[in-house]
Amino acid sequence: MSGSATSQLPEMAEEDAGGQSHSEDDEGEQREQGGLKTMPFILANDFCDRFATIGFNANLITYLTQELHLPLVEASNTLTNFTGTANLTPVVGGLIADSFAGRFWTITFGSVIYQLGMVSLTASALLPSLRPPPCSGEACPRASAWTLLVLHLSLLCTSVGTGGTRPCVMAFGADQFELDKPKHGERAANKSRRSFFNLYFFGVELAKLTAVTAVVYIQENVGWGWGLGVPTIAMLLAVTAFVSGYPLYVKIAPGGSPFTRLAQVAVAAYRKRNVAVPKDPSLLYQDKELDAGISTAGRLLHTTQLTFFDRAATVTDGDLTRSGAPRPWRLSTVHRVEELKAIIRMLPIWAAGILLVTSASHNHSFAIQQARTMDRRITARLTIPPASMLIFSNIAMLATLALYDQVLVPRLRRLTGHPAGITHLQRTGIGLTISMLSNIFSAVVEGRRKRVAAMYDLLDSPHATVPMSVFWMAPQYAIHGVADAFMDVGRMEFLYDQAPESMRSSAAALYWLTMSAGSYMGTLLVTVVHEWTKGDGEWLQDNLNRGKLDCYYWLVVTLQMLNVVYFVICAKLYTYKKLEVVDQESSRGEIEEKDSDEKDVELQPLLPTDQTHGGR
């Protein structure tokens, strides 16, 4: 759809040419849409979706090594490559949602494709022809090329399906509170949205907790047919739950391809690279009507950074048609220029998350294999599956999220005066620091595990159980869960809040792109370390007792320290976007300037100039 004068909220009352609003029936229907009543459908969908995803992801390293008989390094790289692809496709999904499909239909079709991948994966686990023969003594036949092809195609389907759900679910849930702004005020809507983000991640962790206990137990003790079949059924329930809430949803119409607008700004600025930018920002081109469909929450105001792109809003001969309309590849409005600036300003902060994901990628590969070598007894007859060690991360994150809103935020609010207690960037920085402690603990525990193995003469017995309790690993998982409660929510809130209004699905995709880049970097790091240390003293090998996994952890800690320093510098230099919003309570229709990070700032009235220099 065109993003010019088309409203981006079709459910909201629009004015006709005479200035009259639509009928009261439309307004009544509008009041019935969105809000908390949509949350059960959206959160139930995401709960089942994450339950299905984690249900086969958490223990996939076991499936690859124990069932398909792949070497550890190859299995680890297969896992991180799959994770990287699954987190890359949301970039495409976010673009499709923002450009023409809308978030609802993107989520729906993505869920269906994901379901097909799950069905195929389950079938491959059930059919004997798609599994290698069992091990005979020490000889374990590797999976055939045909078996691996089916596996990779199934994983590809789930990755494509993920591209439709991940960038849109959180943004779609936050959209449900857009109608609260005119009814209850922006502060109340922001509070509801903030609570939604915490509730969303709470539901995600609850789904993970259920998956790494129930599903992993089924996989380890019943079989992989049911172990993958249960997540497949859960995914079907997710699609059903989401679609059934269709009449209640606020469905924001797409505003046209956001990347086209960004490209237009960049091209226009380059064409005018020798043109002087006016010293007075009010002389730059503005057109409220043109930007109406992509600025329903307020237009972006001019900022003094990245002034090169201001040339795109500098009016020169030939920029306007005879009717006064701008030529989009020669002239852009200030709002569209600021959209590009906002994305560019976010990128350094976004990049800090890449190494964060890399540093945690071993939790689903090496750490699980590490746990498999340890004493996993809970009682004389009950043992914990290696992949179920992730429950300590899930429980810690659930507890932190539960306490954050109810206990931590009120106390921080009194100290800082900030409505959310601390800013999104401060929350992320705290999480980065805590995450570093998790890997320090990982390195210490692995060093002790190897010393115990040497003490009992088990260095050359990779399948023997080292007499050291697996629960020594619980703190590293718990610390990582606390870190995630700060990092994941903080990063997602930052991206949603700082992204231009019409690009929020694409901004959510940036979150998953971080996961993708971090996973691929994890593959690169493992490959480089493996090649660099080959021979005597090899760090990463199938026999962890002879390997030096603790050295790999210390390397990751060093990289994390550098990453924290980089993030602090970027956060100090970051400039929040500013919005120009109409005061809903003022009969004069004054326009106010507002920093977007929900700061308690004094709102300064601006001149209500809708158009400047040729605006229609």
Side-chain angles (χ1 to χ4, degrees):
M1 292 185 181
S2 172
S4 56
T6 305
S7 172
Q8 203 175 359
L9 284 174
E11 287 83 1
M12 298 182 69
E14 301 174 350
E15 292 188 356
D16 59 22
Q20 300 298 321
S21 64
H22 285 201
S23 68
E24 294 182 2
D25 291 339
D26 290 340
E27 293 178 357
E29 181 182 353
Q30 165 187 326
R31 285 193 294 269
E32 293 174 359
Q33 292 179 321
L36 292 174
K37 60 181 170 294
T38 62
M39 293 301 103
F41 301 98
I42 296 173
L43 294 177
N45 164 265
D46 200 63
F47 179 90
C48 294
D49 178 12
R50 292 312 177 92
F51 176 83
T53 303
I54 301 302
F56 83 91
N57 264 4
N59 209 22
L60 190 57
I61 188 70
T62 300
Y63 183 72
L64 296 176
T65 56
Q66 303 293 316
E67 298 294 319
L68 301 186
H69 308 150
L70 298 182
L72 178 59
V73 170
E74 181 182 348
S76 174
N77 285 344
T78 298
L79 183 58
T80 50
N81 285 337
F82 159 64
T83 305
T85 304
N87 290 311
L88 181 62
T89 55
V91 177
V92 180
L95 176 61
I96 291 172
D98 283 340
S99 299
F100 60 88
R103 288 191 256 276
F104 174 82
W105 291 112
T106 304
I107 294 171
T108 301
F109 285 113
S111 299
V112 171
I113 296 173
Y114 192 99
Q115 179 76 57
L116 295 176
M118 288 295 299
V119 170
S120 176
L121 196 64
T122 303
S124 69
L126 288 171
L127 298 176
S129 60
L130 293 177
R131 297 198 309 270
C135 296
S136 176
E138 292 295 324
C140 294
R142 175 190 167 94
S144 66
W146 168 247
T147 298
L148 293 179
L149 176 62
V150 173
L151 170 72
H152 291 152
L153 289 177
S154 301
L155 295 180
L156 180 62
C157 276
T158 61
S159 297
V160 172
T162 295
T165 57
R166 286 187 179 175
C168 299
V169 171
M170 262 184 289
F172 187 72
D175 289 344
Q176 306 311 307
F177 301 101
E178 285 297 317
L179 296 182
D180 286 347
K181 287 184 179 180
K183 291 188 290 184
H184 305 298
E186 184 167 0
R187 184 174 291 271
N190 287 336
K191 182 179 180 181
S192 297
R193 185 184 296 115
R194 195 161 55 242
S195 297
F196 163 73
F197 279 123
N198 281 322
L199 185 62
Y200 171 87
F201 278 100
F202 186 89
V204 166
E205 291 307 307
L206 190 60
K208 288 181 180 179
L209 179 62
T210 308
V212 298
T213 51
V215 177
V216 170
Y217 178 84
I218 293 171
Q219 291 168 348
E220 294 276 352
N221 296 280
V222 179
W224 282 92
W226 276 108
L228 294 175
V230 170
T232 301
I233 296 171
M235 193 63 209
L236 179 61
L237 295 176
V239 179
T240 305
F242 182 72
V243 174
S244 62
Y246 178 82
L248 300 177
Y249 297 141
V250 171
K251 295 175 283 294
I252 295 182
S257 172
F259 291 107
T260 299
R261 293 197 303 276
L262 299 184
Q264 288 171 342
V265 173
V267 169
Y270 179 76
R271 282 179 169 177
K272 301 177 186 177
R273 57 191 178 278
N274 297 321
V275 174
V277 177
K279 293 183 179 180
D280 184 358
S282 65
L283 298 178
L284 297 174
Y285 182 75
Q286 299 188 53
D287 191 330
K288 183 176 181 179
E289 181 182 355
L290 182 66
D291 292 332
I294 56 174
S295 60
T296 56
R299 289 185 296 168
L300 293 171
L301 294 173
H302 178 263
T303 58
T304 56
Q305 293 81 27
L306 303 169
T307 54
F308 171 81
F309 296 105
D310 289 343
R311 290 171 170 80
T314 303
V315 182
T316 61
D317 292 339
D319 288 349
L320 300 170
T321 64
R322 292 182 179 180
S323 62
R327 303 182 191 275
W329 294 96
R330 293 184 57 88
L331 183 64
S332 297
T333 62
V334 170
H335 175 84
R336 296 174 186 231
V337 170
E338 292 300 323
E339 281 186 324
L340 178 58
K341 288 185 182 182
I343 294 296
I344 294 175
R345 284 197 298 264
M346 289 165 57
L347 291 180
I349 300 291
W350 166 82
I354 295 176
L355 195 57
L356 167 68
V357 177
T358 301
S359 66
S361 60
H362 57 257
N363 283 339
H364 293 275
S365 55
F366 295 123
I368 291 177
Q369 295 302 93
Q370 181 184 348
R372 189 173 293 280
T373 68
M374 301 172 74
D375 182 2
R376 297 183 281 114
R377 289 178 296 176
I378 301 175
T379 65
R381 295 184 177 180
L382 182 63
T383 61
I384 182 172
S388 291
M389 290 300 295
L390 291 166
I391 64 173
F392 293 103
S393 179
N394 303 138
I395 291 173
M397 186 171 183
L398 284 170
T400 305
L401 289 173
L403 293 173
Y404 189 86
D405 254 356
Q406 302 302 319
V407 178
L408 194 57
V409 169
R411 286 167 172 75
L412 289 173
R413 189 183 293 129
R414 286 195 292 268
L415 290 174
T416 64
H418 193 282
I422 54 178
T423 67
H424 311 321
L425 294 180
Q426 288 169 338
R427 183 171 183 172
T428 302
I430 292 171
L432 284 170
T433 305
I434 296 174
S435 176
M436 186 167 57
L437 300 178
S438 172
N439 282 316
I440 291 175
F441 206 95
S442 299
V444 172
V445 169
E446 173 59 10
R448 187 181 190 280
R449 189 196 67 82
K450 289 200 305 177
R451 288 194 297 273
V452 172
M455 186 185 307
Y456 286 88
D457 197 25
L458 298 175
L459 292 180
D460 294 312
S461 303
H463 301 296
T465 298
V466 176
M468 175 179 171
S469 174
V470 74
F471 295 104
W472 276 86
M473 298 180 66
Q476 72 192 51
Y477 279 104
I479 295 170
H480 184 74
V482 174
D484 278 348
F486 283 88
M487 290 181 304
D488 285 350
V489 181
R491 283 191 299 148
M492 181 55 74
E493 283 184 328
F494 169 77
L495 291 171
Y496 185 89
D497 182 72
Q498 291 300 296
E501 174 190 339
S502 62
M503 297 184 65
R504 282 173 174 165
S505 291
S506 300
L510 283 177
Y511 174 89
W512 298 111
L513 185 59
T514 305
M515 301 290 191
S516 175
S519 297
Y520 286 132
M521 185 170 286
T523 299
L524 178 63
L525 182 62
V526 167
T527 301
V528 170
V529 169
H530 182 61
E531 292 295 326
W532 190 268
T533 62
K534 267 186 176 179
D536 294 337
E538 184 175 349
W539 286 16
L540 306 175
Q541 51 182 287
D542 290 346
N543 182 3
L544 293 180
N545 296 337
R546 284 289 185 184
K548 295 184 178 180
L549 186 58
D550 52 336
C551 294
Y552 174 80
Y553 288 150
W554 284 118
L555 173 63
V556 170
V557 170
T558 303
L559 295 176
Q560 283 184 289
M561 292 177 63
L562 297 175
N563 195 44
V564 169
V565 174
Y566 164 78
F567 176 82
V568 170
I569 294 173
C570 292
K572 286 284 187 182
L573 298 176
Y574 184 76
T575 300
Y576 288 94
K577 72 179 186 183
K578 294 182 179 180
L579 285 176
E580 182 184 68
V581 295
V582 177
D583 185 357
Q584 301 288 344
E585 299 178 0
S586 174
S587 59
R588 295 177 298 171
E590 289 183 334
I591 296 177
E592 300 173 329
E593 178 180 342
K594 181 176 75 70
D595 285 333
S596 66
D597 191 36
E598 302 172 16
K599 297 177 181 177
D600 289 323
V601 295
E602 182 179 357
L603 303 181
Q604 302 295 331
L606 303 176
L607 293 175
T609 53
D610 293 343
Q611 303 165 27
T612 305
H613 279 267
R616 288 172 290 156

